[in-house]
Amino acid sequence: KNEVEQSPQNLTAQEGEFITINCSYSVGISALHWLQQHPGGGIVSLFMLSSGKKKHGRLIATINIQEKHSSLHITASHPRDSAVYICAASGGSQGNLIFGKGTKLSVKP
Amino acid sequence: GAVVSQHPSWVICKSGTSVKIECRSLDFQATTMFWYRQFPKQSLMLMATSNEGSKATYEQGVEKDKFLINHASLTLSTLTVTSAHPEDSSFYICSARDRLALGELFFGEGSRLTVL
């Protein structure tokens, strides 16, 4: 079993839909990261959170430390949101990341 | 926002040659940088953790003599793939931790290596 599990693996949505991507982890963490990887490969860090909830534009990330679960929500989805979203748990003495396998999101116009 | 520049973004080389990839933090100091490798349709895998002024810490299974990492300054880490072989073809990406923003990680754009 992976230490960081994401679901779903693939997600297709219509433009405007509300999207949720889930992440569960089994390790102790100092922080949970949500990353976005575009087809070209470059990665953008969306959120780093250790408790509660963060919001940036149409993106919302939540974490429940007790349940070891985090969610990434996208409101009013748009085709430009199409990307792979990766959940990563930060732990260890140097804070290196343990990555989930990613969720490939495709938003259709 | 903080920017990490990775260069080159893609490189094609012949088998047996060495390739150097640079990772620079442009507007912050990074005491720690991480190097990852990603095969097609797979998640990123940590290769090594690079600390400024000291030897890199390699993950299990990663050959330190093959993947040479140097972190000579607070803004630059390099990964050299020595005597590259076709199986080294992959997407390599770095991330850097802002010394002043605890835990905040910034990623480079990645480097796609193809070894012929």
Side-chain angles (χ1 to χ4, degrees):
Chain A
K1 191 181 190 307
N2 291 331
E3 293 173 301
V4 178
E5 295 271 2
Q6 272 184 252
S7 63
Q9 267 190 302
N10 293 282
L11 181 55
T12 301
Q14 284 298 128
E15 183 172 357
E17 285 185 0
F18 180 84
I19 288 162
T20 296
I21 300 170
N22 294 300
C23 176
S24 296
Y25 53 93
S26 58
V27 295
I29 66 166
S30 56
L32 194 290
H33 299 253
W34 281 101
L35 313 172
Q36 180 191 55
Q37 185 172 30
H38 279 281
I43 290 180
V44 174
S45 180
L46 299 175
F47 295 103
M48 182 184 76
L49 63 164
S50 53
S51 66
K53 175 180 173 178
K54 285 189 175 180
K55 184 176 189 293
H56 185 251
R58 294 181 295 105
L59 302 178
I60 303 167
T62 63
I63 188 168
N64 184 316
I65 298 294
Q66 286 73 31
E67 295 185 4
K68 294 190 174 179
H69 181 269
S70 176
S71 293
L72 175 69
H73 305 285
I74 305 175
T75 61
S77 59
H78 191 276
R80 65 174 175 266
D81 297 326
S82 299
V84 175
Y85 292 83
I86 302 169
C87 165
S90 176
S93 59
Q94 302 214 60
N96 46 294
L97 298 181
I98 303 170
F99 296 90
K101 292 189 175 181
T103 295
K104 185 174 181 180
L105 171 66
S106 179
V107 182
K108 307 291 185 189
Chain B
V3 176
V4 173
S5 171
Q6 199 172 329
H7 178 81
S9 55
W10 60 269
V11 57
I12 301 172
C13 70
K14 290 184 178 179
S15 190
T17 60
S18 294
V19 174
K20 180 185 284 189
I21 301 169
E22 292 187 348
C23 180
R24 289 181 188 273
S25 56
L26 295 185
D27 52 0
F28 66 96
Q29 292 182 331
T31 50
T32 304
M33 289 186 175
F34 302 92
W35 285 97
Y36 310 90
R37 183 174 181 175
Q38 186 179 36
F39 290 107
K41 298 188 187 300
Q42 294 192 23
S43 189
L44 290 89
M45 287 180 53
L46 178 67
M47 297 175 67
T49 302
S50 166
N51 291 299
E52 186 264 337
S54 64
K55 290 184 179 180
T57 303
Y58 290 81
E59 295 300 299
Q60 195 172 15
V62 177
E63 298 176 60
K64 60 181 180 182
D65 294 330
K66 179 158 188 67
F67 299 100
L68 300 178
I69 290 172
N70 184 282
H71 193 158
S73 77
L74 284 171
T75 58
L76 174 65
S77 177
T78 60
L79 167 68
T80 302
V81 183
T82 62
S83 188
H85 285 95
E87 57 265 30
D88 298 325
S89 299
S90 189
F91 187 69
Y92 294 88
I93 193 163
C94 71
S95 69
R97 170 167 289 124
D98 187 338
R99 185 173 67 92
L100 299 178
L102 294 176
E104 193 74 47
L105 273 179
F106 302 95
F107 287 81
E109 288 291 309
S111 300
R112 189 163 301 282
L113 170 64
T114 302
V115 184
L116 302 176

